[in-house]
């Protein structure tokens, strides 16, 4: 971290434009501060010293772009992250979802799937998994492939078990996975209702109607305009009275359709689409 | 809702042993010192902290909050970096939260916020680094100094854990080394120099 390269706002815009033209990913409405930090971090890792060199490699090397995409997008996730959120889902949301013959849930920006697996455990414990269809999407194909394997690093399982218990989980958490050396394989039955696919919130559209949309700590990487557009996308993707869950420090305050949602639980950041 | 973004910014970083110093710093903010303050304190993950309540209990006319994403920085507010997020700043003086990898095993990381303060506020930023047992914050404090901002560390002699301020002293030639009792004076001086 001692020597940092720097690029100007104009150079960053040039890189964003190049990626959009060559690969179709549009980062132009990402939050500038975090995007810049991620790009600089990538340049540091890849030992690319100037914006010119970065553009050269991005133009000429697809694998280099894949590496860039993997590094610049944030793929950090956890099982049962924020136990309060899962406890609230368990107590307040799932009993309502139980009324639907088919329960459709969308995890937007699912990364490597840890939150989706957590949801499956909740649905299983509520006796709803058989009736559920869980669509899990991410813009990054590498994440989707990894999520499909159902493998979670074993070294985090102790922490996840504690999260699970704090969220009100009463079962033996280790029954939900098979430990193999440094990996834990989440049980196949639990994952049987998940449909993984690539979807880019920035450029793709409504593709189904859901009773619950989970998009936690994804929109923080976008600027206010893009956040607003995505909240419209979520609104249009929800059934009337459908639920929207966002990250613990995210807010609907800056969107122009905040009045079309009501608050289900303020601290757990769960909202409901009005009729 | 539209309000003028704050023109100056104070960032304070601390880890092990820094809580009492932060409490007293906030309690003794000089009259007329209205700059927003971002406090980055290393905390345990997924443990609901009483910190906001603790700091909010200090009576000094400021509002204490854990900011949400895209919050506008405003005078007279004290922003406590939420557990599990890095606090970044945008050019329009709003906060962008970030859930990426820990830095120095820490999220929030002091380096991340200090560097952002240097980027956005330049010489209108000031940074204070307090007691702590790792190296987080030294790089960021150096960035504030390079941008022309004012920087100070807690005198290592008075620290429960001296590693953090020592790391900054090694990096920054002109860093002020201050005992906790004179931190308020440092802040008064910031006002005089503007």
């Amino acid at each position: 971290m001692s020597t940092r390269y720097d690029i100007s706002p104009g150079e960053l815009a040039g890189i964003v434009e190049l990626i959009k033209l060559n690969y179709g990913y549009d980062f132009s409405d990402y939050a500038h501060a975090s995007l810049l930090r991620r790009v600089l971090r990538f340049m540091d890792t890849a030992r690319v010293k100037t914006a010119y060199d970065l553009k050269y490699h991005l133009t000429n090397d697809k694998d280099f772009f894949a590496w860039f995409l993997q590094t610049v997008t944030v793929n950090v996730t956890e099982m049962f992250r924020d136990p309060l959120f899962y406890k609230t889902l368990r107590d307040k949301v799932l009993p309502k979802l139980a009324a639907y013959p088919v329960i459709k849930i969308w995890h937007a920006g699912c990364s490597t799937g840890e939150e989706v697996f957590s949801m499956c455990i909740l649905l299983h414990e509520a006796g709803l998994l058989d009736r559920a269809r869980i669509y899990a999407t991410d813009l990054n194909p590498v994440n989707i492939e990894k999520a499909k394997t159902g493998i979670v690093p074993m070294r985090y399982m102790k922490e996840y078990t504690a999260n699970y218990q704090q969220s009100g989980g009463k079962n033996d958490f280790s029954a939900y996975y098979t430990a193999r050396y440094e990996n834990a394989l989440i049980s196949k039955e639990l994952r049987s209702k998940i449909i993984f696919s690539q979807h880019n919130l920035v450029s793709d559209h409504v593709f189904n109607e859901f009773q619950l949309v989970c998009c936690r700590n994804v929109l923080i990487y976008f600027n206010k305009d893009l956040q607003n557009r995505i909240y419209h996308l979520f609104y249009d993707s929800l059934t009337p009275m459908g639920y929207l869950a966002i990250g613990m420090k995210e807010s609907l305050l800056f969107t122009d359709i905040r009045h079309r949602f009501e608050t289900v639980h303020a601290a757990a950041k769960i909202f409901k689409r009005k009729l | 809702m539209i309000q003028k973004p704050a023109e100056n910014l104070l960032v304070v970083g601390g880890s092990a042993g820094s809580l009492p110093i932060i409490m007293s710093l906030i309690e003794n903010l000089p009259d007329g010192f209205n700059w927003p303050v971002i406090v980055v304190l290393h905390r345990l993950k997924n443990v609901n902290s009483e910190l906001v309540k603790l700091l909010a209990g200090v009576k000094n006319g400021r509002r204490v909050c854990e900011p949400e994403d895209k919050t506008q920085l405003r005078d007279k507010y004290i922003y406590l970096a939420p557990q599990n997020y890095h606090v970044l700043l945008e050019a329009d003086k709003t906060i962008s939260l970030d859930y990426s990898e820990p830095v120095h095993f820490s999220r929030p990381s002091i380096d991340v916020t200090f560097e952002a303060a240097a980027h956005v506020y330049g010489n209108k930023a000031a940074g204070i680094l307090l007691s702590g047992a790792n190296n987080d914050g030294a790089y960021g404090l150096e960035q504030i100094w390079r941008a022309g901002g004012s920087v100070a560390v807690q005198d290592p002699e008075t620290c429960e854990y001296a590693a953090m301020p020592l790391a900054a002293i090694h990096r920054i030639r002109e860093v002020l080394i201050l005992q906790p009792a004179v931190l308020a004076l440092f802040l008064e001086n910031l006002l005089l120099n503007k």
Side-chain angles (χ1 to χ4, degrees):
Chain A
M1 233 165 139
S2 50
T3 48
R4 272 283 181 84
Y5 312 123
D6 210 357
I7 53 177
S8 69
E11 286 173 325
L12 183 65
I15 293 160
V16 165
E17 188 61 26
L18 181 151
I19 290 167
K20 193 173 160 185
L21 287 173
N22 284 271
Y23 300 98
Y25 289 90
D26 186 358
F27 290 101
S28 51
D29 282 324
Y30 273 52
H32 186 268
S34 46
L35 182 64
L36 178 66
R37 177 170 171 262
R38 303 296 289 179
V39 170
L40 290 175
R41 181 173 166 274
F42 173 77
M43 289 172 71
D44 204 35
T45 312
R47 294 172 191 271
V48 175
K49 290 198 175 61
T50 64
Y52 181 86
D53 289 345
L54 180 61
K55 284 164 83 171
Y56 176 84
H57 291 298
L58 286 174
T59 309
N60 294 300
D61 186 347
K62 276 189 182 136
D63 293 338
F64 186 87
F65 171 73
W67 184 26
F68 175 89
L69 185 68
Q70 187 64 18
T71 313
V72 166
T73 55
V74 174
N75 306 305
V76 178
T77 178
E78 277 171 43
M79 289 186 77
F80 289 95
R81 159 160 89 181
D82 307 315
L84 170 71
F85 165 69
Y86 286 95
K87 189 167 177 11
T88 313
L89 268 186
R90 210 189 271 279
D91 297 344
K92 296 237 186 314
V93 177
L94 294 193
K96 296 281 197 272
L97 295 187
Y100 294 92
V102 179
I103 303 164
K104 287 193 286 185
I105 299 172
W106 178 18
H107 277 267
C110 68
S111 191
T112 46
E114 278 80 344
E115 296 211 18
V116 190
F117 305 146
S118 311
M119 178 71 76
C120 292
I121 290 172
L122 284 192
L123 288 164
H124 165 75
E125 293 184 354
L128 301 174
L129 187 59
D130 286 343
R131 286 195 273 140
R133 304 281 179 279
I134 302 144
Y135 296 77
T137 64
D138 200 86
L139 90 164
N140 189 337
V142 176
N143 285 344
I144 293 295
E145 287 313 308
K146 192 156 172 232
K148 279 182 183 168
T149 65
I151 292 171
V152 175
M154 193 60 206
R155 63 179 181 278
Y156 301 129
M157 278 314 200
K158 200 176 144 197
E159 189 185 327
Y160 295 170
T161 305
N163 287 353
Y164 165 76
Q165 287 162 348
Q166 278 185 53
S167 80
K170 301 264 190 301
N171 291 0
D172 174 10
F173 192 64
S174 65
Y176 293 131
Y177 62 87
T178 316
R180 278 195 201 139
Y181 303 103
E182 69 271 30
N183 289 320
L185 178 67
I186 306 294
S187 117
K188 207 169 174 180
E189 287 75 54
L190 274 177
R191 293 184 285 121
S192 61
K193 302 296 179 184
I194 311 173
I195 299 135
F196 285 107
S197 68
Q198 202 185 344
H199 179 280
N200 189 339
L201 286 169
V202 179
S203 48
D204 294 336
H205 302 287
V206 174
F207 63 96
N208 211 324
E209 197 176 73
F210 302 94
Q211 282 93 43
L212 169 60
V213 173
C214 280
C215 184
R216 308 183 64 232
N217 300 306
V218 177
L219 303 196
I220 50 177
Y221 303 109
F222 301 162
N223 70 19
K224 281 185 207 167
D225 289 343
L226 182 54
Q227 287 186 354
N228 192 37
R229 266 161 50 204
I230 307 296
Y231 282 124
H232 278 266
L233 174 66
F234 290 159
Y235 182 88
D236 294 336
S237 302
L238 282 168
T239 54
M241 311 302 278
Y243 293 88
L244 172 66
I246 59 178
M248 304 295 263
K249 290 291 164 192
E250 294 181 290
S251 163
L252 294 181
L253 267 184
F254 306 109
T255 66
D256 55 20
I257 52 165
R258 60 185 174 277
H259 302 300
R260 291 201 237 161
F261 288 95
E262 63 182 89
T263 304
V264 174
H265 194 290
K269 292 297 164 79
I270 299 175
F271 304 88
K272 191 157 79 170
R273 186 192 137 143
K274 291 180 184 171
L275 285 172
Chain B
M1 278 271 295
I2 294 169
Q3 287 193 317
K4 216 168 59 142
E7 281 176 28
N8 302 281
L9 174 67
L10 172 67
V11 285
V12 180
S15 189
S18 69
L19 185 57
I21 315 292
I22 288 177
M23 299 277 295
S24 104
L25 179 75
I26 288 176
E27 200 166 359
N28 296 304
L29 285 177
D31 290 341
F33 186 88
N34 295 329
W35 299 15
V37 183
I38 302 180
V39 176
V40 184
L41 186 61
H42 294 160
R43 293 192 266 169
L44 284 174
K45 271 177 81 176
N46 285 347
V47 174
N48 253 339
S49 154
E50 296 289 298
L51 210 51
V52 173
K53 278 185 213 156
L54 213 59
L55 295 179
V58 178
K59 287 184 183 62
N60 60 5
R62 272 81 169 182
R63 302 273 294 273
V64 179
C65 67
E66 280 192 350
E68 293 185 331
D69 184 49
K70 306 295 181 262
T71 299
Q72 177 90 65
L73 288 180
R74 286 162 56 186
D75 281 348
K76 292 191 178 179
Y77 272 73
I78 294 165
Y79 302 94
L80 188 61
Q83 58 190 352
N84 267 335
Y85 292 93
H86 296 305
V87 174
L88 292 165
L89 302 175
E90 299 291 344
D92 65 358
K93 322 248 162 106
T94 56
I95 285 175
S96 276
L97 295 177
D98 177 306
Y99 196 82
S100 61
E101 299 78 2
V103 174
H104 296 294
F105 310 101
S106 306
R107 189 179 55 211
S109 147
I110 302 168
D111 269 343
V112 169
T113 300
F114 279 20
E115 187 179 26
H119 254 283
V120 172
Y121 277 89
N123 64 1
K124 293 183 180 303
I128 301 176
L129 191 60
L130 303 172
S131 170
N134 73 7
N135 288 337
D136 193 18
Y139 167 83
L141 198 68
E142 185 186 359
Q143 302 312 304
I144 295 175
W145 173 65
R146 288 185 184 283
S150 306
V151 292
V153 297
Q154 184 184 349
D155 183 348
E157 298 277 324
T158 69
C159 288
E160 208 172 309
Y161 296 91
M164 238 160 62
L166 279 176
I169 291 167
H170 285 300
R171 293 187 83 116
I172 311 167
R173 256 179 302 121
E174 297 166 23
V175 69
L176 286 168
I177 301 168
L178 302 177
Q179 303 210 343
V182 295
L183 286 172
L185 276 176
F186 171 72
L187 299 182
E188 282 178 26
N189 271 319
L190 291 177
L191 296 181
L192 294 177
N193 294 334
K194 290 295 152 188

